[in-house]
C-alpha cells in the first residue's frame, strides 16, 4: 500500500511540472500585447480605439509569444 502511495505522489509531482514553452509564451505575449495595444489605441482613437487595440494586440502578442516559445 505504501508503495502505491509513494509512486502516485512521485507521478503527480513529475507530471505537474510539465508545461509547454509555446503555451506560456502565447499567454505572456497575449497579455503584454493587449496592454500595449489598449494604450496605443486609447491614445489614437479613444474608447473604441482602445478596444480595437486590445483585440489586435492580444492576437498579435499571442502569435509572437507562441512562435518565440516554440
Amino acid at each position: 500500500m505504501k508503495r502505491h502511495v509513494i509512486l502516485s505522489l512521485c507521478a503527480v509531482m513529475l507530471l505537474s511540472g510539465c508545461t509547454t514553452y509555446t503555451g506560456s509564451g502565447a499567454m505572456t505575449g497575449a497579455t503584454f500585447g493587449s496592454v500595449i495595444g489598449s494604450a496605443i489605441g486609447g491614445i489614437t482613437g479613444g474608447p473604441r480605439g482602445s478596444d480595437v487595440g486590445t483585440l489586435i494586440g492580444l492576437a498579435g502578442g499571442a502569435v509572437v509569444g507562441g512562435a518565440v516559445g516554440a
Side-chain angles (χ1 to χ4, degrees), residues 5-31:
V5 171
I6 291 173
L7 286 175
S8 297
L9 287 174
C10 288
V12 167
M13 289 176 59
L14 180 67
L15 295 175
S16 67
C18 296
T19 183
T20 63
Y21 291 116
T22 305
S24 298
M27 183 64 187
T28 303
T31 303

Side-chain angles (χ1 to χ4, degrees), residues 37-63:
S38 175
I40 292 172
I43 291 170
T44 59
R48 296 224 184 231
S50 177
D51 293 341
V52 171
T54 299
L55 292 174
I56 292 172
L58 180 107
V63 168

